[in-house]
Every structure is written in C-alpha cells, then in structure tokens.
C-alpha cells in the first residue's frame, strides 16, 4: 500500500477564494466546494521531493491562473524507486472505443502533453468539448513544464467558453514530463495511474473529483457553468521502465456487482514494454468486462512508456490527436493509418436474449433486420412503440428507464433511410441488460404483453407468426417452413425467438451486414 506525504490545508487547493457557484444537477455536476471533495479540505504535500519537484512547486507558485482556472496546490506522490536523472525518451500508445454508447465523446492526445478528455454524457456536445480541449493542448510545445501545462488547460477552458455549446463540458487528465518528473493535472473523474517495473499493482495518482453519489464537482466547460475550476496537480519522480496510464472512466466503471471493470492489479498485469500493446490490451479487457451489461461506457487509454538514456522504445512518437470524429497526426492532418491503429472498430454483437418471450421476440426481429429481411424494421417499430407506452404508464423509475430505451429504439426505426445497424444493436443490448435486471428483481419485464399467436413446427420449435399470411403447409406435422427463400418475414420466419437461426448458420448475426 502506498501513501502520499501530506498535510491538510484549509484552502481547497486554490488561491482564488472564489465561490465555485452552482450547476444544474442534470448536468451530472453538484454544488460543492472547488476542491471537488464534497466539502472536505484537500490533502496536499508541502515538502519533500528532489530538485525537479522543487522546480514544479516554484513554477506553479508563480502561475497567475486564467479563464476561471484557479492555481492548484502541488501534491507530491512519493513512490520508492524514482530515478529522474536516468529518464530518457518517451513513447506512447493509444486505444479508444465507443463501447455500448451511441456515440463517442472521448478524445486523447500524445506528445509534449499526453492525456485523455472525456466529454460529459449528461450534457450537450461532450464530444465537442473534449475535442476542443485536446486540440488546444496539442499546441503546447516540446519541453513543456507544469506552468505550460496549466496554461494549456486555461487556454482550453477559454476556447470552450468561446466556441463550445452552452452547457457542454469535459473531464481532463493530462501530464508532462520534464527533468524526469511527471506533472499531472486532473479535472473531473478520468484517472492517471503509474505502473513501476516489478510492481504488481498500478498506483492511482489522481483523485476522482466527485461526490459520493458520483456527481462531478469539477469540469472544463462551455458557457453556462459559472464556477472557478481548481484542478488537482500531482508530481511524481519517474524511473526508466515506468508506464503512465491516462484512462477515461470506461476502464474502471462499476459493474453490476459493484467491482470496478479493471482493478489496479489487473491494470498492472496488462502492461508490456510496448505502450501500444498495453493500451490495446487494457481497452479490450475493459470491454470484455462491460460488454455483457450492454451499458459499457466509451473506453480510452493512453499509455506512456518511460525509457532510459539512449534506449530504443516501441510505440508511437510525437503528437497524435485522437478525436471523436477521426485521428490526426502531428501536423493536424487526418490519418486513416493512425486511426486503424488507435481506434477500435469491432462491430458490437447482439446480446443473447433473456429467457422471456418479449426479449426473444425482439431479438429475433433485430436479427431479421441485420439480415435484411423485408418488413422486419416496421414490425420492430410497432413492437417498440407498444412497449414504450406500456412501461411508461406504469410510471416507476425502472419502467420509465425501459420506456425511454424503447422510445430510442423506435426512433432508430422511424426514418426514411437505412437503419443504423450499430446504433440498433447498442440500443437492443441496453434493453436486454435492463430486462435482465427486471428478471433479477422480480419486476414485470413484459408489462402485460402477450406474444403473437405462434405455431409449432415439425421439430417442436416455436415459430413466430406470419406477417404476410404465409403459414406452414402442415402446422401439426408438416415440414418446417423455408428459412432462405422468398420475401417477407413470413417466408424467412422467425423460427425460434431464443436461438434466432434466421439463416443457414448458427453464428451470431454480423451487425455490419457484410458477413464474418
């Protein structure tokens, strides 16, 4: 177990003394002190550390602030084994993915400043806020120190106030390395970890700036959030072989059993000497844990490998901006080649249905849409619209949540163009997860719904009703209806709501529609 050399200060980490103000709770931010600790004083270090740390303190003390960013206290994390004089070059790895969300709001950066910005999902245009923040920090020059980092944060806040939509916001965790000392700035609940060579557990460097209920107390924001932001600032002496991790909260989001998606010990076990492999492994492990819930957040990982003097390192070098709408290289030029390396493009797969008829029926219709069965989208639209109203009239929070998701589902099917397959599957998976919670809590997941009248085929498997009047030649004992010929759901049949075998293979349907 590691500790910080610290003492309690009366000031909430800043020197402005301004009232942080209040923020609409719907934005996911609560009205608490500027320290972001729910009214408790910040724990800061006032002594210790070598010459590099002393320079960090001096630079921060001389920094004047700007754009509503208050000057933070400097926390020094004392980790045995630091050897800043031997630190040489850095290399980077990045991996980002959308998770189960309908859109990506994370942005990432490598270079003089490395880090992650996570746009707030509860507010408008979180992707814009995180993207503007990363673009601004990418302008910080090589050799930057703590004052340059704080200046970049203030410039990003100023740009958000000037260009971002009202109410938009983002977290930020980012760092610079100079003279072998890492300085990390933290606003919100993204995290920085340090994995020291030979240690079995990642050390969390930052503290989540949120209440016990998970509401953020600090964020970089566009117009409409009238508060002073006081970042957390952490300094730590590095050593060759260290790996620094900057991650969005999709890496450590709470699972249904209360555990974090990846523990500090699991993070350390995934670190390799190649930071790109490290970032990819952490992203993929987090997705493996969260995908079964259907509620996985965006996941973004930046891994920084610390080398010694003259050491050759694997991984990315220089500035790479990973934005929600594409990846750019050091010159700002969009780079499909880089995008293929850093962005997860694995199609989301439909979750297996819950063993109740309503879930099986919806799953069969989703599978039919993915296989381009005519009329399937219209049938699912009518079903989703019916379910949204049925859960709405019950009025309690669980049913209202399910009603909202069914409303989203019907909206995806109510346009003139082709159905967005990725969004369809993501929404279906969220509903499936909610249905599992209903079953677990003994709630009525079907809310009075009765499946359409069904036939039994010769093999005894349930056959969903025809929508075009085509019925089996012999419902009691004749051959099973065709699954491959003819138009309409009636001919291709939803043969079995649970197994959804709508083709000649038992493989799960491919959301891309292009086959596996």
């Amino acid at each position: 177990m590691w500790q910080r050399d610290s003492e309690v200060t009366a000031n909430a980490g800043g020197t402005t003394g301004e009232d942080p103000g209040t923020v609409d709770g719907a934005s996911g931010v609560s009205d608490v002190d500027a320290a972001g600790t729910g009214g408790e004083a910040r724990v800061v270090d006032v002594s210790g550390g070598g010459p590099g740390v002393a320079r960090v303190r001096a630079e921060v003390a001389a920094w004047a602030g700007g754009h509503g960013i208050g000057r933070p206290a400097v926390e020094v994390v004392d980790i045995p084994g630091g050897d800043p004089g031997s630190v040489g070059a850095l290399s980077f790895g990045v991996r980002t993915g959308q998770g189960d969300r309908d859109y990506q709001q994370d942005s990432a950066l490598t270079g003089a400043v490395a880090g992650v910005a996570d746009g707030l999902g509860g507010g408008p245009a979180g992707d814009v806020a995180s993207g503007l923040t990363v673009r601004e920090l990418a302008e910080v020059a090589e050799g930057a120190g703590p004052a340059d980092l704080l200046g970049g944060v203030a410039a990003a806040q100023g740009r958000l106030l000037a260009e971002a939509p009202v109410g938009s916001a983002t977290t930020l965790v980012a760092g610079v390395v100079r003279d072998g000392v890492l300085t990390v700035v933290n606003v919100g609940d993204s995290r920085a970890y340090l994995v020291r060579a030979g240690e079995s557990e990642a050390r969390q460097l930052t503290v989540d700036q949120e209440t016990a209920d998970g509401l953020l107390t600090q964020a970089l924001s566009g117009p409409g959030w009238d508060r002073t932001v006081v970042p957390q600032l952490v300094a730590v002496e590095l050593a060759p072989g260290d790996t620094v991790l900057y991650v969005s909260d999709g890496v450590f989001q709470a699972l249904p059993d209360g555990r974090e998606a990846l523990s500090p010990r699991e993070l350390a076990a995934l670190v390799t000497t190649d930071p790109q492999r490290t970032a990819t492994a952490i992203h993929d492990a987090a997705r493996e844990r969260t995908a079964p819930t259907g509620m996985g957040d965006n996941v973004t990982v930046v891994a920084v490998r610390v080398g010694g003097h003259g050491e050759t390192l694997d991984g990315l070098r220089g500035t790479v901006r990973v934005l929600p709408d594409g990846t750019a290289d050091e010159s700002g030029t969009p780079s499909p080649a880089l995008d293929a390396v850093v962005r997860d493009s694995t199609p989301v797969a439909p979750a297996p249905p819950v063993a109740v008829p309503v879930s099986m029926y919806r799953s069969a219709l989703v599978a039919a849409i993915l296989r381009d069965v005519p009329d399937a989208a219209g049938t699912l639209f009518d079903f989703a619209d019916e379910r949204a109203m049925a859960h709405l009239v019950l009025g309690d929070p669980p049913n209202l949540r399910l009603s909202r998701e069914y409303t989203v589902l019907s909206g995806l099917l109510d346009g003139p163009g082709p159905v967005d397959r990725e969004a369809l599957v993501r929404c279906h998976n969220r509903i499936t997860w909610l249905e599992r919670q209903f079953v677990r809590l003994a709630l009525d997941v079907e809310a009075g719904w009765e499946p359409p009248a069904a036939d039994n085929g010769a093999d005894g498997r349930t056959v969903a009703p025809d929508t075009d009047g085509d019925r089996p030649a012999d419902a009691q004992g004749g051959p099973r209806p065709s699954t491959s010929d003819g138009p309409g759901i009636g001919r291709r049949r939803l043969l079995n709501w649970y197994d959804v075998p709508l083709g000649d293979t038992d493989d799960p349907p491919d959301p891309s529609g292009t086959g596996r």
Side-chain angles (χ1 to χ4, degrees), residues 327-373:
T327 300
D329 61 16
E330 191 164 6
S331 66
T333 304
S335 174
L338 274 175
D339 206 63
V341 172
V342 305
R343 195 176 304 276
D344 177 41
S345 58
T346 305
V348 61
V354 183
V356 293
V358 67
S359 183
M360 298 175 188
Y361 184 67
R362 188 190 65 257
S363 297
L365 289 171
V366 169
I369 291 172
L370 296 179
R371 296 186 175 178
D372 298 317
V373 176

Side-chain angles (χ1 to χ4, degrees), residues 162-174:
E163 300 180 31
V166 173
S168 62
T170 183
T171 71
L172 173 67
V173 61

